[in-house]
Amino acid sequence: MNSIKNNLESIIASLPANHTVTLVAVSKFQAPELIKEAYNAGQRIFGESRVHELSDKVKILPADIKWHFIGHLQTNKISNLLRIPGLAMIESIDSFRLLELVDKEATKLNVLAHVLLEVHVAQETTKFGFETDELIEWFQNKGYCNLTSVHIHGLMGMASNTDDENRIQADFRKITECYNKIKRISTDLLGFDMLSMGMSGDYLIAIKEGANMIRIGSSIFGERGY
Ligand SMILES: *Cc1c(COP(=O)(O)O)cnc(C)c1O
């Protein structure tokens, strides 16, 4: 069986040498000992999808880990999430209501929330996220000017859950187009430069389509213990 260290090394070796891609190791449902193994192999950024699980893990794992929240965030958990030391990024802001509530709560706590906006392009209807059109319109109207305690760093997205590589590529391309459009129309928006897309099965396609952040779980840790 491959070790976590070997898995990490082969993923890193598979990344193109000509541009920088940040690897988020998705450790949701994985035991802390396995996360420690990845940490000992040099990995410092981890992704979790549940606030309670994240807050338990933070207590027992090294303090220099940067945690990314990647799951659907329930509004009653916002405050708890923002209080977690080591929280570096909320990648899954999936509605304007959630964005506003995170801003409000961050203001109350006197912290700056670093976030990505989650775009929905996949064919599955159950996933959360913004439609590309509504997001572009919001940026055109400078909706972000009303935010005081949130820094929007970029976009996060997922491709359809399919074996059809053309469909996956088209999905990623749509997210990248949206990202580039926002950059073009929002010239006053500083530090909007992260495009998080690509998971174990499709990260190479995502990078080809412009991703500079990938979120990989099962290819590092093996199947999750759901
Ligand atoms: C679980 C998850 C991943 C990782 O998926 P793998 O297929 O295990 O690499 C990436 N992104 C999000 C949002 C996830 O929920």
Side-chain angles (χ1 to χ4, degrees), residues 134-150:
E134 63 169 342
L135 208 50
I136 288 163
E137 192 186 319
W138 185 78
F139 277 96
Q140 260 158 353
N141 295 332
K142 298 200 180 295
Y144 51 89
C145 285
N146 301 322
L147 302 170
T148 55
S149 304
V150 165

Side-chain angles (χ1 to χ4, degrees), residues 210-222:
N212 56 25
M213 184 175 283
I214 54 177
R215 309 175 310 273
I216 299 190
S218 43
S219 290
I220 296 172
F221 296 105

Side-chain angles (χ1 to χ4, degrees), residues 54-55 58-59 62-63 65 67 80-88:
L54 171 57
S55 100
V58 165
K59 287 178 195 136
I65 289 181
W67 296 96
N80 286 344
L81 179 61
L82 290 175
R83 285 167 207 261
I84 292 176
L87 176 75

Side-chain angles (χ1 to χ4, degrees), residues 26 28 49 70 156 158 199-201 215-219 224:
V26 175
K28 61 185 183 193
S49 60
I70 60 167
M156 184 271 258
M158 277 176 265
M199 325 201 300
S200 292
R215 309 175 310 273
I216 299 190
S218 43
S219 290
R224 284 177 280 276

Side-chain angles (χ1 to χ4, degrees), residues 65-213:
I65 289 181
K66 293 189 168 81
W67 296 96
H68 284 208
F69 189 80
I70 60 167
H72 174 60
L73 177 56
Q74 289 169 288
T75 54
N76 62 347
K77 304 273 172 63
I78 295 171
S79 180
N80 286 344
L81 179 61
L82 290 175
R83 285 167 207 261
I84 292 176
L87 176 75
M89 182 78 69
I90 303 172
E91 294 199 24
S92 45
I93 298 291
D94 54 18
S95 70
F96 293 121
R97 178 175 135 78
L98 182 62
L99 181 64
E100 279 158 24
L101 289 173
V102 167
D103 184 51
K104 205 166 145 194
E105 198 58 40
T107 304
K108 215 190 279 176
L109 295 171
N110 198 22
V111 296
L112 182 63
H114 300 275
V115 309
L116 302 181
L117 305 182
E118 181 175 349
V119 182
H120 171 90
V121 298
Q123 58 201 0
E124 292 86 38
T125 52
T126 53
K127 282 183 184 152
F128 298 98
F130 296 96
E131 301 296 323
T132 55
D133 289 346
E134 63 169 342
L135 208 50
I136 288 163
E137 192 186 319
W138 185 78
F139 277 96
Q140 260 158 353
N141 295 332
K142 298 200 180 295
Y144 51 89
C145 285
N146 301 322
L147 302 170
T148 55
S149 304
V150 165
H151 179 165
I152 302 172
H153 287 267
L155 302 184
M156 184 271 258
M158 277 176 265
S160 302
N161 185 13
T162 171
D163 291 331
D164 178 359
E165 291 206 358
N166 291 324
R167 172 71 205 223
I168 292 170
Q169 184 177 40
D171 286 348
F172 286 142
R173 196 161 285 183
K174 196 169 172 200
I175 299 166
T176 303
E177 270 167 18
C178 178
Y179 171 77
N180 287 334
K181 209 171 218 171
I182 290 168
K183 280 173 91 80
R184 257 198 320 275
I185 58 180
S186 310
T187 47
D188 59 338
L189 190 64
L190 299 175
F192 185 90
D193 53 17
M194 293 184 183
L195 184 53
S196 172
M197 50 183 203
M199 325 201 300
S200 292
D202 57 18
Y203 74 92
L204 289 175
I205 305 174
I207 292 169
K208 216 178 271 171
E209 294 304 324
N212 56 25
M213 184 175 283

